[in-house]
Amino acid sequence: MSVADRASARPRPRTVLHVFGVMDRAGAELRTVDLMRNLDPDRYRFVFVTLTGRPGALAEEIRSLGGSVHPCRLDLGFPVRFLRLLRALRPDVVHSCVATFSGAILLIARAAGVPLRVAHFHSTGDRHGASLRGRVQRAVMRQLIDWFATDLVAVAEATMTSLWRSDWQRERRCRVLYNGLDPAPFERALVTTSPASPASPVVAAAVASTAAAEWRPTIVHVGRPDPVKNRSAAVDVLIALRRRGVPARLRVVGRQDAHESAQLRRRAELGGVADAFDLPGESFDIPGLMAGADLLLLTSRHEGLPTVVLEACAVGTPVLAPDLPGVVEIGRLLDGVTTVPQGCASEAWAEAAAGMLAAPPTSAQRVQALHAFSSSPFVMDQWRRGMTSLWDQ
């Protein structure tokens, strides 16, 4: 058989078309590109459609991995443009990651004759809100999902329950697939990152002792500038901690918005913690960031399965977060997650944080945490197998 004959006999890759708002550096978007890196491009071809009309910061990397990004702004002309795009690309799978609005996406995919149509839920909330109009929109979209989705996937049980139904386990087309991380970068981070804090400091001693007072535990908050991430609450926790005499510093990591950044800096100045507050922007080395931190602070108002919590757990960095269902779900499977009631005062957060900072993890405990994570359901291999089995139906 000639080279040309062998090439023609080779099955074409399955085309999976993902729908997102924009391919910026955020949890679900980063995880999808990470999955793309771990798949054979001869078996799966990734195409992305973005509803904001912007390709996003990850577009260049997607193209370098053999994928493509098609901005398709969500306006009155969207249904016709999207239908034409589907007919031109002829994907085997439409994998929609836009919460309950996936109902409209999958309706158009069905009209285009796409055989596999997946609604993938990444959060416990959507953008429709609690108004009458929002509730009606949500009900309509859920009905469209019910009619036109061949499969429904969620990143956590709580996410499926919140955005779909409490009896979802009775539906054969519903499944929970935890996002997966590759443990290798976190193992390298533990090898190369030396802990910045002493092995077993005590906060009281840090306040009383001149020698120990040089210890400044590092708290990190990772998230985009979105009201859902509630980044201002992290500054309030820092203020409350410093008032308790804990010499902590806070790094709010993530894409910046000029208006929000100015508000956060002003908040820190008014609270007297400007010298302990930093806005370094985005980090491209999350494993290293987590391995060098003493505490991860999550202050989101709602989440699905927050990847940043998994990243902290992978290197044994303690996590303090509200008792969101997805966080509690992670805490049932991995150690190191402490929760406080949603909506509680910053003083309650500070009390919990002070106790956690009093005894940060040792190097041995971090290695033990990585081993536990590597055998958990949150690793890349399990996620890859689950996703490909979905697309190969």
Side-chain angles (χ1 to χ4, degrees):
M1 182 182 292
S2 68
V3 173
D5 289 337
R6 285 197 297 271
S8 62
R10 185 184 304 151
R12 75 176 183 90
R14 291 183 69 76
T15 299
V16 183
L17 185 147
H18 297 268
V19 180
F20 281 95
V22 61
M23 290 309 296
D24 276 338
R25 296 180 62 83
E29 293 80 358
L30 283 168
R31 298 287 70 76
T32 304
V33 175
D34 198 23
L35 179 63
M36 188 180 181
R37 296 189 200 102
N38 284 270
L39 290 175
D40 183 353
D42 290 331
R43 287 193 60 193
Y44 303 98
R45 174 181 173 232
F46 275 30
V47 176
F48 294 85
V49 170
T50 58
L51 304 185
T52 61
R54 292 196 302 111
L58 294 170
E60 185 176 346
E61 181 176 2
I62 289 169
R63 296 186 188 105
S64 73
L65 293 170
S68 59
V69 182
H70 301 264
C72 194
R73 182 179 293 278
L74 189 60
D75 54 22
L76 291 177
F78 170 78
V80 173
R81 291 198 308 274
F82 186 48
L83 181 61
R84 288 174 178 168
L85 182 63
L86 291 176
R87 287 175 173 168
L89 295 173
R90 298 174 56 204
D92 301 285
V93 185
V94 165
H95 195 117
S96 182
C97 302
V98 287
T100 52
F101 188 72
S102 292
I105 298 297
L106 301 184
L107 164 62
I108 301 171
R110 176 64 181 84
V114 179
L116 285 176
R117 302 174 299 276
V118 182
H120 197 155
F121 302 133
H122 290 273
S123 180
T124 53
D126 58 24
R127 299 287 183 175
H128 294 308
S131 67
L132 176 60
R133 178 181 177 181
R135 294 197 302 272
V136 170
Q137 288 176 329
R138 185 179 297 110
V140 170
M141 291 300 166
R142 280 176 171 164
Q143 186 61 66
L144 292 177
I145 291 173
D146 202 12
W147 285 341
F148 298 111
T150 59
D151 297 89
L152 292 88
V153 180
V155 296
E157 292 180 6
T159 303
M160 185 70 85
T161 298
S162 178
L163 283 188
W164 190 235
R165 296 170 182 162
S166 58
D167 62 346
W168 63 269
Q169 291 175 322
R170 299 172 61 182
E171 291 193 62
R172 294 181 61 185
R173 59 182 176 159
C174 291
R175 68 181 82 181
V176 169
L177 292 176
Y178 291 130
N179 290 342
L181 301 177
D182 180 1
F186 297 91
E187 182 176 6
R188 291 194 293 270
L190 288 183
V191 171
T192 59
T193 304
S194 58
S197 54
S200 57
V202 178
V203 170
V207 176
S209 165
T210 302
E214 296 178 2
W215 169 64
R216 297 184 68 194
T218 298
I219 301 172
V220 296
H221 182 288
V222 181
R224 65 185 183 276
D226 187 309
V228 167
K229 300 301 180 181
N230 196 20
R231 300 207 290 190
S232 62
V235 181
D236 293 339
V237 174
L238 175 65
I239 294 170
L241 267 173
R242 295 297 289 261
R243 287 173 178 168
R244 296 175 67 92
V246 181
R249 57 177 180 168
L250 171 67
R251 305 185 72 202
V252 175
V253 179
R255 183 166 50 87
Q256 292 191 35
D257 171 82
H259 178 68
E260 189 216 38
S261 296
Q263 288 183 324
L264 293 177
R265 290 192 177 95
R266 179 61 175 162
R267 201 180 196 99
E269 289 173 2
L270 292 174
V273 297
D275 63 325
F277 173 67
D278 187 24
L279 276 170
E282 289 187 284
S283 172
F284 297 90
D285 180 21
I286 294 298
L289 176 72
M290 291 299 173
D294 297 292
L295 178 69
L296 170 71
L297 195 62
L298 183 85
T299 54
S300 301
R301 293 186 170 95
H302 63 76
E303 290 276 359
L305 189 82
T307 302
V308 68
V309 173
L310 299 178
E311 291 165 333
C313 290
V315 291
T317 296
V319 177
L320 179 60
D323 56 353
L324 299 171
V327 175
V328 173
E329 199 165 329
I330 293 173
R332 290 202 303 262
L333 298 167
L334 294 172
D335 293 333
V337 179
T338 300
T339 61
V340 294
Q342 297 176 55
C344 70
S346 55
E347 287 74 15
W349 284 78
E351 181 178 2
M356 298 169 74
L357 291 170
T362 64
S363 297
Q365 288 171 331
R366 288 185 180 274
V367 171
Q368 185 179 8
L370 177 63
H371 289 162
F373 182 84
S374 299
S375 59
S376 77
F378 303 111
V379 292
M380 173 60 70
D381 284 347
Q382 289 202 36
W383 186 37
R384 181 177 57 219
R385 286 193 295 269
M387 294 298 283
T388 55
S389 69
L390 175 68
W391 299 331
D392 288 341
Q393 297 178 77

